[in-house]
Amino acid sequence: MGEISDPRKVIDRRRLTVELAALADEGKLDEAAVSRVLKSALAEGRAEVRRRFDATGDGRMAARTLSYLMDQIIRALHDAATQLVFPLANPSTGERLAVVAVGGYGRGELAPHSDIDLLFLQPYKRTPYVEQVIEYMLYRLWDLGLKVGHSVRSVEECIRQAKNDLTIRTALLEARYIWGEQSLYQDLRAKFLKQIVAGTGPAFVEAKLAERNQRHRRMGDSRYSLEANIKDGKGGLRDLHTLFWIAKYLYRVDDVTALVDRGVFTAEEARRFEKTEAFLWSLRFHLHYLTDRPEERLTFDLQPELARRMGYTDHAGSRGVERLMKHYFLIAKTVGDLTRIFCAVLETQHQKRSLLARARFGLFQREIEGFPVDGDRLAVADAEVFKKDPVNLLRLFEVAQRHDLDIHPASLRLVTRNLKLVDAKLRADPEANRLFVAMLTSKKGPEITLRRLNEAGVFGRFMPDFGRVVAQMQYDMYHHFTVDEHTIFAIGILWKIEQGLIKDEVPIASEVVHLVQSRRVLYLAVLLHDIAKGRGGDHSELGADIALKLGPRLGFTDEETETVSWLVRYHLIMSNTAFKRDIDDPKTIQDFVAAVQSLERLRLLLVLTVADIRAVGPKVWNGWKAQLLRDLYWRAEEMISGGLIAEKREERVKVAVDALRGELGDWTVATFADHVARGTPSYWLAYDKETLARHARLVERAERDGEVLALDTRIDHWRAVTEVTVYTADRPGLFARLAGALALAGANIAAADIFTLSNGKALDNFQVQDGEGREIERPEDLKRIRECLERMLADDEPAPPDLVFPPSPLGRRTELFKVAPRVLIDNKGSAEHSLIEVNGRDRRGLLYGLTKAIAAQKLQIMSAKVSTFGARAVDVFYVKDKFGLKVEGDARLKPIRDALMAVLEEGEGRAASPPAAPSPEDPNSDSAAAE
């Protein structure tokens, strides 16, 4: 790239040197004066770099200019130290010193908040003079507020340590002379190349690639994380640095364009490298300037402003922030392409076993279906293989999958260069479509093959609808990956379910997957379930239409295509029902079954739902969700198979009570009869016998001892929840009080069951989690929950008190996401209750505000389903009026809607505690971990 324009406008070292010399002449060159002069020059230079960057957006040039600025500061400081502060007329050999830049600074690149990595190079052992100079320079640099990483070594020490330490070797690889005794640097350079680099190329390459793979695993091993680390994440700057380190080590080059002459990259590939690097540097500069710190993560709260600064505006159907992130993910994919190309050339050139030459001379050991095999990798001899028959662009991947072979990187490079052959004719080719379906449904495991197809660019061109979601982000705090990556993950999870690899976590799905009539319908439905995201409108409906078009092309029958389309259209119905509706209400099951209609669809839907949720991201799936889906599945299967839930209710209650009697064998007949008289049919059917027995003992103890508040907690590791059971006198607003107390204690309510027994006492059961979606088990946390509940219930006021909650730790981030507040009141979804569904931005104490408003409307909350999807809270309440009837009539419903909308539109409070309540030491966000 070009030279720095008008460098003296950035910093004029001559003027700086003169200014320091003048201070020395005046006897005023104390440490504070030197720091003051240098600090002023640094601030002016940084301001000029910022001004230029704001005008051009050129991050690479800004990085070079900042490096140049730092060079001049260090040179001026060195000269001041050696000529003005500690002058020596004729320094000995041992009193000579070279200042060398290493690391990123050695490359001549600095971000606004980068560390300054320096090597102070001396001839042999340290002398007092050299130590004095180094100490003086370091203190002045620290006075400037710089983060300086430094080492003091002789040439021999550098060489010795580089032999055993890969990090030191890499740092010295990029060493660059700044100032001082240049002969020392030249000596180091010569010995490094001769004693370290010579003959160690393959070992260095292997070590650096292993280091890169380890870093990828540490950072999540995906280049499509929605809050990507642009420096160390997969597809980030560090990956480009790794390629350059290897190139520099092997080819002795200082610029990527020189790799074209070495035959490593084509001119076009070199341009892609520079374009990719330029984008990442510009993004990094914006990120550092925006946060005023060495921030490398594209967190949700920063993305909108970064998009604005980089000129990404909202377009029809897509927001500016989504366009920025899609560009970033495509850049990250390009980094992967360049890495693959680079590795292919390395193998060809540095193992001296040219793949193409051996193909021409017939030196391969074997062939499989016309493709030569090199070790454990499938290959192609040249691009003519694809030009003669473009179907080979798919066949290569299918044969490799079927024979458990990798694909040679040189062959992947040829695939990438011939993507134009994937055209409408190939998309219509029956054999090409057969091969694609074979890969998608292979029992060998489709995930790796589909990811290869996607990385090579074949997937998106062969299926353009999929190409539209490649690098398509989902701008929320719920999804963790881009749409294409989420989809491929989901297909991989489906295969694991089918193979029984996760049967301990998803036992029902692992069982019913083998009962479906058409497994390829299931695989295609998973592939297409999110295919229409980012188009505007309902992606489920649009995706169903796409399925109707793609099915016949892929060779699916009309019946199969219709089933795939139905699954795509209704792929959210099972999770919505399980997580947002009361599945103990027979009407819920009846409505769900009316939509599903058949056992085959139910089985397909269960497996699709499980794969979809598990592929959203880490910590999204848990035992609580598994339990809800399992219960819904069994009840729907029972009804579809001919069972009438309502008619069997009395029989099921009797079975539950009889089972409970077996658990309470130490109770007298009278004691057990008294307890059974307190219960209701819905209560007996809500829990298993172990939970009913635990509740029974809690209730019996409270009645015997006259406890005003009886409390029990149980940690359920499998469902990742802590059950908090409360038995106390019922009163208006009790649920709101309990919800408020739990929120103040730092507990998030994942679900709640509310029962009023025949004795007028409330038996409420809450499933709570911490802010990370895990069970609460620390004794101090459980103690805090008890104390908050006791203090809240000790308040004798008729209405729940006004509480102000501390801001959620996620407050700033959740504010970025548009969540339109909505209140829906449904009188058709249940035979006995009115359903109030509330959608809004999640915040600490939201559930308390909603339930308090409901209580103020003289409504009884009979049960509640609480869910959080990133920043969106979706809470559903089953309510009755004070007479035990549904709430009907516009005159009655409008005040309820208005009251709940007012709660949704409120902002977060600033501080909180109920009267005398202890505040949490580590408060968590009020976001349930439900899907």
Side-chain angles (χ1 to χ4, degrees):
M1 61 186 296
E3 294 297 318
I4 297 171
S5 64
D6 198 0
R8 289 191 180 179
K9 197 169 184 179
V10 177
I11 184 171
D12 186 342
R13 185 164 56 87
R14 290 181 184 176
R15 181 179 62 80
L16 191 59
T17 301
V18 169
E19 189 174 352
L20 290 170
L23 288 173
D25 291 341
E26 297 170 6
K28 298 179 180 179
L29 194 68
D30 56 25
E31 295 175 352
V34 172
S35 297
R36 184 173 61 252
V37 170
L38 294 177
K39 186 175 292 187
S40 175
L42 179 61
E44 291 175 5
R46 284 175 166 171
E48 177 63 17
V49 173
R50 176 68 184 268
R51 186 193 65 76
R52 295 183 182 193
F53 176 73
D54 288 342
T56 65
D58 189 340
R60 288 183 67 201
M61 179 56 76
R64 290 188 60 203
T65 308
L66 272 182
S67 179
Y68 168 79
L69 169 64
M70 193 54 56
D71 286 353
Q72 303 309 309
I73 292 287
I74 291 172
R75 288 171 180 173
L77 175 59
H78 173 275
D79 289 348
T82 58
Q83 298 172 19
L84 302 176
V85 181
F86 308 110
L88 279 180
N90 188 23
S92 66
T93 302
E95 293 170 330
R96 299 184 186 276
L97 172 71
V99 185
V100 179
V102 293
Y105 184 31
R107 284 192 304 275
E109 299 170 340
L110 284 178
H113 290 277
S114 291
D115 294 353
I116 311 299
D117 294 323
L118 295 175
L119 166 64
F120 292 97
L121 194 60
Q122 57 187 16
Y124 39 88
K125 67 178 182 179
R126 298 187 193 182
T127 63
Y129 176 78
V130 169
E131 288 186 344
Q132 199 173 29
V133 170
I134 292 172
E135 180 180 289
Y136 182 87
M137 292 184 65
L138 286 173
Y139 273 106
R140 300 296 75 72
L141 292 172
W142 290 331
D143 286 345
L144 300 183
L146 298 171
K147 296 184 290 294
V148 182
H150 73 283
S151 58
V152 183
R153 299 190 182 107
S154 67
V155 172
E156 287 69 24
E157 286 173 329
C158 288
I159 297 303
R160 184 173 63 253
Q161 294 186 32
K163 289 179 179 178
N164 302 316
D165 191 311
L166 185 66
T167 301
I168 293 176
R169 187 183 305 191
T170 305
L172 292 178
L173 177 66
E174 296 191 297
R176 178 176 59 85
Y177 170 75
I178 299 178
W179 214 233
E181 188 65 34
Q182 192 168 11
S183 62
L184 282 175
Y185 168 77
Q186 292 170 339
D187 185 31
L188 172 64
R189 193 71 188 154
K191 289 181 178 178
F192 180 77
L193 293 175
K194 182 178 180 180
Q195 299 180 29
I196 301 298
V197 175
T200 63
F204 180 80
V205 172
E206 182 178 355
K208 293 310 291 185
L209 292 179
E211 181 183 73
R212 180 204 63 180
N213 293 339
Q214 185 178 13
R215 171 170 49 81
H216 286 173
R217 286 191 292 272
R218 188 175 68 251
M219 301 300 296
D221 207 22
S222 173
R223 62 175 55 93
Y224 302 113
S225 173
L226 296 191
E227 291 190 298
N229 186 308
I230 67 171
K231 179 183 176 184
D232 292 322
K234 192 171 185 178
L237 270 170
R238 187 67 77 211
D239 281 0
L240 291 181
H241 295 160
T242 299
L243 297 186
F244 190 70
W245 290 330
I246 293 172
K248 192 177 180 72
Y249 203 93
L250 297 178
Y251 300 105
R252 315 288 197 272
V253 297
D254 293 314
D255 190 88
V256 70
T257 56
L259 294 177
V260 177
D261 297 333
R262 301 294 198 281
V264 178
F265 285 146
T266 64
E268 173 57 28
E269 288 161 351
R271 282 193 294 271
R272 289 176 67 197
F273 188 107
E274 292 186 322
K275 185 177 180 180
T276 296
E277 187 180 32
F279 174 85
L280 290 173
W281 267 114
S282 294
L283 185 57
R284 192 181 186 200
F285 260 72
H286 278 298
L287 194 53
H288 280 213
Y289 281 141
L290 174 60
T291 60
D292 195 27
R293 63 176 184 267
E295 179 62 75
E296 312 294 353
R297 297 167 302 131
L298 295 176
T299 55
F300 284 126
D301 54 324
L302 301 177
Q303 290 171 13
E305 178 60 18
L306 286 170
R308 188 194 67 78
R309 293 187 179 198
M310 297 185 73
Y312 292 89
T313 57
D314 294 349
H315 288 185
S318 66
R319 299 172 60 188
V321 64
E322 293 170 341
R323 296 177 58 238
L324 163 66
M325 293 306 296
K326 182 162 188 172
H327 191 180
Y328 170 76
F329 292 127
L330 291 173
I331 287 291
K333 182 178 181 297
T334 297
V335 174
D337 295 341
L338 293 169
T339 301
R340 188 167 56 250
I341 291 167
F342 190 78
C343 291
V345 175
L346 286 185
E347 182 156 343
T348 301
Q349 294 187 355
H350 289 275
Q351 290 189 356
K352 297 182 179 178
R353 298 174 63 213
S354 171
L355 179 69
L356 303 183
R358 286 184 292 130
R360 285 194 294 272
F361 290 102
L363 298 179
F364 283 101
Q365 293 181 350
R366 61 189 176 115
E367 283 191 354
I368 295 180
E369 299 183 35
F371 295 106
V373 179
D374 178 39
D376 61 350
R377 294 178 301 189
L378 205 62
V380 293
D382 53 49
E384 291 302 313
V385 172
F386 301 133
K387 293 176 182 177
K388 290 177 181 177
D389 185 2
V391 174
N392 283 326
L393 285 163
L394 289 151
R395 187 175 288 117
L396 172 68
F397 293 89
E398 193 275 336
V399 172
Q401 179 191 50
R402 189 153 32 89
H403 293 276
D404 296 316
L405 295 170
D406 200 349
I407 298 176
H408 197 285
S411 299
L412 289 172
R413 186 183 195 185
L414 287 175
V415 169
T416 302
R417 288 180 173 179
N418 287 275
L419 288 176
K420 63 182 181 296
L421 297 175
V422 185
D423 55 14
K425 182 178 179 182
L426 182 64
R427 287 191 283 269
D429 188 286
E431 176 62 9
N433 283 284
R434 185 195 68 79
L435 290 169
F436 179 82
V437 173
M439 288 184 279
L440 173 65
T441 61
S442 172
K443 292 190 176 181
K444 293 281 189 178
E447 183 177 356
I448 291 175
T449 300
L450 294 179
R451 187 163 281 112
R452 285 175 182 164
L453 282 167
N454 196 32
E455 293 286 346
V458 176
F459 202 158
R461 288 185 67 91
F462 187 70
M463 188 175 286
D465 287 301
F466 186 82
R468 293 183 62 168
V469 297
V470 170
Q472 173 70 46
M473 78 171 297
Q474 304 176 75
Y475 190 65
D476 54 39
M477 292 181 64
Y478 177 61
H479 295 91
H480 293 247
F481 303 106
T482 56
V483 177
D484 58 323
E485 189 75 353
H486 161 73
T487 300
I488 294 173
F489 272 137
I491 293 170
I493 291 168
L494 170 57
W495 180 79
K496 290 177 183 177
I497 293 172
E498 189 178 30
Q499 299 300 310
L501 299 178
I502 51 176
K503 61 183 178 182
D504 291 340
E505 300 171 62
V506 289
I508 307 305
S510 299
E511 177 183 333
V512 304
V513 71
H514 299 291
L515 301 177
V516 300
Q517 300 300 307
S518 177
R519 62 185 296 274
R520 68 180 198 156
V521 162
L522 184 54
Y523 275 89
L524 185 58
V526 174
L527 171 61
L528 301 183
H529 77 281
D530 279 346
I531 195 106
K533 279 201 168 178
R535 300 192 184 196
D538 188 328
H539 79 280
S540 299
E541 294 180 2
L542 297 172
D545 293 338
I546 292 171
L548 291 175
K549 293 186 298 183
L550 275 175
R553 182 194 128 184
L554 294 171
F556 280 57
T557 65
D558 290 346
E559 180 184 357
E560 289 175 321
T561 299
E562 190 276 332
T563 303
V564 172
S565 179
W566 184 90
L567 285 169
V568 174
R569 172 66 183 85
Y570 292 101
H571 73 273
L572 296 175
I573 190 174
M574 193 165 199
S575 58
N576 284 341
T577 302
F579 305 151
K580 301 179 185 178
R581 293 293 181 265
D582 183 359
I583 58 176
D584 290 320
D585 188 328
K587 184 67 163 57
T588 298
I589 306 302
Q590 291 166 6
D591 291 346
F592 176 69
V593 167
V596 175
Q597 298 180 350
S598 73
L599 272 178
E600 173 72 359
R601 282 183 174 179
L602 178 64
R603 292 163 179 163
L604 291 167
L605 193 58
L606 172 68
V607 181
L608 168 57
T609 302
V610 171
D612 185 17
I613 296 173
R614 288 183 67 94
V616 167
K619 301 180 183 179
V620 173
W621 177 264
N622 55 39
W624 175 242
K625 292 180 181 179
Q627 180 74 46
L628 291 172
L629 289 171
R630 181 175 63 185
D631 290 348
L632 175 58
Y633 176 83
W634 287 129
R635 295 181 191 194
E637 184 188 58
E638 179 183 7
M639 179 171 283
I640 292 173
S641 300
L644 297 175
I645 293 176
E647 292 180 4
K648 289 189 173 184
R649 198 176 194 197
E650 290 185 7
E651 180 182 337
R652 292 168 62 206
V653 168
K654 183 178 183 304
V655 170
V657 172
D658 289 345
L660 174 61
R661 186 69 182 99
E663 294 291 308
L664 301 173
D666 56 327
W667 280 26
T668 65
V669 173
T671 301
F672 183 74
D674 288 344
H675 181 68
V676 171
R678 298 186 187 103
T680 63
S682 59
Y683 171 70
W684 300 124
L685 297 178
Y687 302 105
D688 57 34
K689 61 182 181 181
E690 292 81 10
T691 302
L692 290 173
R694 193 171 65 255
H695 289 176
R697 296 188 187 280
L698 176 71
V699 170
E700 193 275 335
R701 185 196 73 208
E703 293 296 323
R704 183 189 66 232
D705 299 341
E707 295 182 42
V708 175
L709 168 66
L711 179 67
D712 178 67
T713 59
R714 186 181 76 92
I715 299 166
D716 189 332
H717 292 289
W718 188 78
R719 293 193 297 171
V721 298
T722 297
E723 291 187 12
V724 179
T725 305
V726 178
Y727 180 66
T728 190
D730 198 10
R731 57 169 160 163
L734 175 64
F735 183 78
R737 294 172 186 270
L738 298 177
L742 290 170
L744 286 167
N748 299 329
I749 300 174
D753 296 318
I754 305 161
F755 296 99
T756 301
L757 305 184
S758 61
N759 62 355
K761 296 287 187 70
L763 183 61
D764 294 348
N765 196 51
F766 296 88
Q767 317 289 330
V768 301
Q769 298 172 317
D770 64 16
E772 299 295 323
R774 298 172 301 204
E775 58 271 36
I776 298 172
E777 53 185 336
R778 294 194 309 172
E780 57 268 34
D781 294 334
L782 296 174
K783 180 183 177 183
R784 185 185 304 124
I785 288 174
R786 174 179 288 275
E787 290 174 347
C788 285
L789 287 168
E790 288 174 347
R791 292 175 186 276
M792 182 69 78
L793 295 183
D795 179 16
D796 294 330
E797 293 297 322
D802 291 330
L803 298 178
V804 183
F805 294 87
S808 163
L810 299 178
R812 286 184 62 246
R813 300 175 72 197
T814 60
E815 290 172 5
L816 299 165
F817 302 96
K818 295 180 179 179
V819 181
R822 184 177 65 174
V823 176
L824 302 174
I825 303 179
D826 176 13
N827 275 307
K828 298 180 180 178
S830 173
E832 300 177 357
H833 307 90
S834 294
L835 274 64
I836 302 176
E837 179 177 320
V838 180
N839 292 252
R841 189 191 316 283
D842 188 32
R843 67 174 188 269
R844 188 185 296 273
L846 174 63
L847 185 61
Y848 176 72
L850 295 172
T851 51
K852 181 184 175 187
I854 290 173
Q857 294 295 317
K858 310 300 183 186
L859 300 177
Q860 305 175 64
I861 300 175
M862 310 308 295
S863 66
K865 304 291 283 187
V866 182
S867 303
T868 306
F869 305 86
R872 179 188 297 274
V874 181
D875 300 336
V876 180
F877 305 97
Y878 283 68
V879 303
K880 294 181 178 180
D881 65 16
K882 61 183 178 181
F883 303 109
L885 303 174
K886 284 187 176 184
V887 186
E888 298 180 295
D890 290 342
R892 186 73 180 93
L893 297 179
K894 186 178 184 303
I896 297 173
R897 287 195 188 95
D898 292 345
L900 293 174
M901 284 295 291
V903 174
L904 294 175
E905 292 168 354
E906 287 176 5
E908 289 184 331
R910 296 183 179 178
S913 61
S919 60
E921 295 174 5
D922 182 20
N924 297 305
S925 166
D926 181 27
S927 69
E931 192 267 346

